[in-house]
Amino acid sequence: MTHSMRLQPSPFELIRSGKKTIELRLFDEKRKRLGIGDTIVFTNTESGETVEAEILELSVFESFEALYKELPLSECGYTEKDIASASPDDMDAYYPKEMQEEFGVVGIKIALR
C-alpha cells in the first residue's frame, strides 16, 4: 500500500539525505492504516519534489514525551547542534496536545527506496 505525507523543506531534506530515518506523526486514523513494508511518498511542501520510503517499523506511544524517551532523537530529525535542547514540546507546533492525548503518536522507521 502507498501513503502520502507532506513535509516542510527542512525535514524533507533530512529524509532525502538519509539523516532522518524516523518520521514523527500523530497516530490518527490515517496513520493507523500504515503497515510494515508499505511505501510512503513524502512531498516537499514548497518544491513539490517527492521521495519514496519503505516502512520498516512502527512505534506507537501515548505521547511525544514517551516517544522522546524511547526513540533515538538523532534519527528523528535532530542534529548534534540541537539534540541537547530537543523537547517533546517541539511537536506542539504541529499537533495540539489535545490531539496527541486523543490519538497517541507514532514513530515511523523508514528506509529510502
Side-chain angles (χ1 to χ4, degrees):
M1 183 174 233
T2 301
H3 309 272
S4 299
M5 294 186 193
R6 296 169 42 85
L7 285 173
Q8 297 293 323
S10 178
F12 179 87
E13 288 304 321
L14 289 170
I15 285 178
R16 186 172 70 165
S17 70
K19 293 177 183 170
K20 180 177 181 183
T21 58
I22 300 175
E23 173 62 11
L24 307 180
R25 295 285 172 139
L26 199 64
F27 196 53
D28 56 10
E29 295 307 316
K30 182 178 178 181
R31 261 52 81 164
K32 287 180 180 170
R33 292 192 294 258
L34 299 174
I36 306 301
D38 286 359
T39 298
I40 299 174
V41 177
F42 291 103
T43 302
N44 182 317
T45 57
E46 288 186 9
S47 70
E49 185 180 2
T50 62
V51 65
E52 289 189 13
E54 177 181 353
I55 299 174
L56 302 178
E57 187 177 322
L58 297 167
S59 300
V60 179
F61 298 91
E62 64 182 34
S63 67
F64 283 114
E65 186 173 341
L67 181 151
Y68 273 48
K69 290 177 184 175
E70 296 294 324
L71 296 182
L73 297 181
S74 61
E75 294 182 40
C76 297
Y78 288 98
T79 65
E80 285 185 28
K81 292 179 186 175
D82 60 14
I83 201 163
S85 63
S87 167
D89 294 337
D90 296 345
M91 297 306 293
D92 294 352
Y94 304 100
Y95 305 112
K97 288 252 193 252
E98 300 79 31
M99 292 182 78
Q100 295 175 39
E101 291 170 8
E102 180 180 349
F103 296 108
V105 302
V106 62
I108 308 164
K109 176 81 170 173
I110 57 171
L112 294 177
R113 290 196 181 254

